[in-house]
Amino acid sequence: MPNSLDLPSEPSKTRVVVAMSGGVDSSVVAALLKREGYDVVGITLQLYDHGAAVHRRGACCAGQDIHDARRAAETIGIPHYVLDYESRFREAVIDRFAESYLSGETPIPCVECNRSIKFRDLLATAVDLGADALATGHYVASRALPDGRRALHRAADPERDQSYFLYATTPEQLSLLRFPLGELDKRETRALAREFGLAIADKADSQDICFVPQGRYSDVIERLKPGAVQAGEIVHVDGRVLGEHRGIVHYTVGQRRGLGLSVGEPLFVVALDAERARVVVGPREALATRIIPLRDLNWLGDTPLDAIGPEGLEVAARVRSTRPPQPALLRWSEGAAGVELLRPEDGVSPGQACVLYDGEGPRARVLGGGVIARREALVAAA
């Protein structure tokens, strides 16, 4: 039987841990690998106090999902374990999420969860169990390079591609990670779930951040950091004070609705000034930017960063998970990375990710990415 995971041993002698969230995708991965003859072990992580989320649609890693993962493992016929990672998840993901929001950023906790929990802690656990690989249900692809390293690629289906959330994966982690759904779309995955007799074949995809009920970030932050949310002024980019707000955590860059202003023109949030507790608003054109300084760059490309000349390296940059990559230049100078977009983008927000690819289309290779440190507005804010 062919080794679909590109591992040195035949499937019957290859142990693979599958991260089972209780959803359709990871359950299908476990079933596919079991059918191919791999020694499959399913692991589900309990990441937070799931009491309030047991019956909430759109959650993940909560009580109902743990039950669904256990039932899927029984159907497939593989051992299944639930590991309590609540304290690790709180420290590495939830607390950082709250601190980032309070500093005026718009963080992506899924990136940190993948980086710190799934691809660090869980991967170490998989190795301790004697696994040759950790497989997940992400819609991305991992392919071997001529020098033996592995590269991360966008999924074949751009509508399902999750590479934006995995840019921080390291080369060492990629050597042990496998993503069997990279060439499938969701329709095909659900068809396989029915073929395998999985009860969750029609289960809805998770929508919200798992620890943020109904998407109300401010409620979570106020509970985690009582007294930390400060009221302040809403200021126009031209310096006019237009009103007051209850805390910058209630706003995100690009937001138009819910500002509570009546000034006769459409206004958008263009910046959050945590130091002065200010929400800065302005016309749509004030959202545009082309220059994006990055921090915490994770580089997966072949060109050494120090070899990138002053003219920059041509890349395709993606500044939101919901937007396609667009042409850009990556610049590297004295240990600092920055991206210059060839066309301005609206709503670029500090704390979000800027992910870099070697092209704009499906299956493009992920070259890395970083956290947007700030944005250089084309229209200056007050």
Side-chain angles (χ1 to χ4, degrees):
M1 180 177 293
N3 189 326
S4 66
L5 298 185
D6 194 21
L7 293 166
S9 301
E10 62 183 76
S12 63
K13 298 178 180 178
T14 303
R15 172 167 291 179
V16 180
V17 166
V18 177
M20 298 183 69
S21 67
V24 180
D25 302 323
S26 58
S27 299
V28 166
V29 166
L32 280 171
L33 298 180
K34 173 67 174 178
R35 183 170 70 179
E36 292 180 19
Y38 288 98
D39 175 12
V40 179
V41 177
I43 291 183
T44 300
L45 303 182
Q46 180 175 310
L47 297 181
Y48 64 101
D49 181 2
H50 58 263
V54 169
H55 302 294
R56 181 166 64 84
R57 293 174 62 87
C60 80
C61 307
Q64 182 61 49
D65 296 297
I66 292 172
H67 171 75
D68 290 343
R70 182 179 292 115
R71 185 166 59 165
E74 291 174 355
T75 300
I76 298 165
I78 60 171
H80 175 256
Y81 303 96
V82 178
L83 303 182
D84 183 354
Y85 274 35
E86 284 192 29
S87 61
R88 302 188 207 188
F89 185 71
R90 166 95 184 219
E91 179 181 344
V93 179
I94 300 179
D95 287 347
R96 291 186 184 181
F97 170 86
E99 291 165 2
S100 182
Y101 250 105
L102 287 170
S103 70
E105 296 185 337
T106 307
I108 312 173
C110 297
V111 170
E112 193 58 46
C113 182
N114 289 324
R115 182 207 324 252
S116 299
I117 303 297
K118 295 176 182 175
F119 295 167
R120 186 188 68 191
D121 296 345
L122 178 56
L123 190 57
T125 298
V127 172
D128 289 343
L129 291 173
D132 300 283
L134 171 66
T136 80
H138 290 103
Y139 286 87
V140 293
S142 169
R143 301 192 181 104
L145 295 169
D147 62 4
R149 296 179 300 127
R150 298 192 70 81
L152 187 65
H153 291 258
R154 293 188 73 193
D157 180 1
E159 296 298 317
R160 302 299 308 183
D161 173 54
Q162 293 173 291
S163 61
Y164 182 83
F165 302 101
L166 301 181
Y167 78 87
T169 308
T170 67
E172 294 75 22
Q173 292 168 343
L174 282 174
S175 68
L176 295 171
L177 289 168
R178 296 295 186 271
F179 309 103
L181 302 185
E183 293 297 322
L184 302 182
D185 60 32
K186 191 65 178 225
R187 178 185 54 81
E188 294 170 314
T189 301
R190 291 195 185 278
L192 283 169
R194 298 185 189 98
E195 179 182 333
F196 288 124
L198 298 175
I200 42 76
D202 296 311
K203 184 177 180 179
D205 292 338
S206 59
Q207 300 294 329
D208 298 330
I209 295 172
C210 63
F211 58 90
V212 182
Q214 288 80 48
R216 291 199 288 263
Y217 310 122
S218 57
D219 292 351
V220 174
I221 295 164
E222 288 174 335
R223 187 177 72 249
L224 291 171
K225 307 285 185 179
V229 178
Q230 298 181 7
E233 298 175 330
I234 301 177
V235 183
H236 195 279
V237 290
D238 64 12
R240 290 177 290 148
V241 176
L242 303 180
E244 295 183 349
H245 64 80
R246 295 181 295 112
I248 63 173
V249 299
H250 298 283
Y251 302 86
T252 57
V253 172
Q255 177 180 336
R256 177 182 175 185
R257 299 183 182 276
L259 301 183
L261 301 174
S262 298
V263 293
E265 62 173 318
L267 294 176
F268 301 80
V269 176
V270 300
L272 299 172
D273 184 345
E275 186 175 345
R276 294 187 287 179
R278 280 183 162 186
V279 174
V280 182
V281 299
R284 176 179 288 277
E285 55 266 28
L287 288 169
T289 187
R290 288 184 55 198
I291 305 299
I292 306 175
L294 302 181
R295 69 170 191 263
D296 303 329
L297 180 70
N298 182 57
W299 184 241
L300 299 173
D302 296 330
T303 302
L305 290 172
D306 290 338
I308 297 176
E311 69 279 1
L313 179 70
E314 293 184 1
V315 297
R318 191 176 180 186
V319 297
R320 293 268 184 169
S321 63
T322 54
R323 299 182 187 177
Q326 66 144 299
L329 293 173
L330 171 66
R331 302 190 189 279
W332 178 262
S333 176
E334 298 180 352
V339 169
E340 179 182 348
L341 304 172
L342 300 193
R343 299 188 302 272
E345 283 265 20
D346 289 347
V348 173
S349 177
Q352 293 280 294
C354 179
V355 182
L356 310 173
Y357 303 87
D358 68 354
E360 299 175 56
R363 300 185 177 88
R365 181 179 171 184
V366 180
L367 299 178
V371 178
I372 298 171
R374 63 183 188 279
R375 68 184 194 92
E376 303 290 344
L378 298 183
V379 176

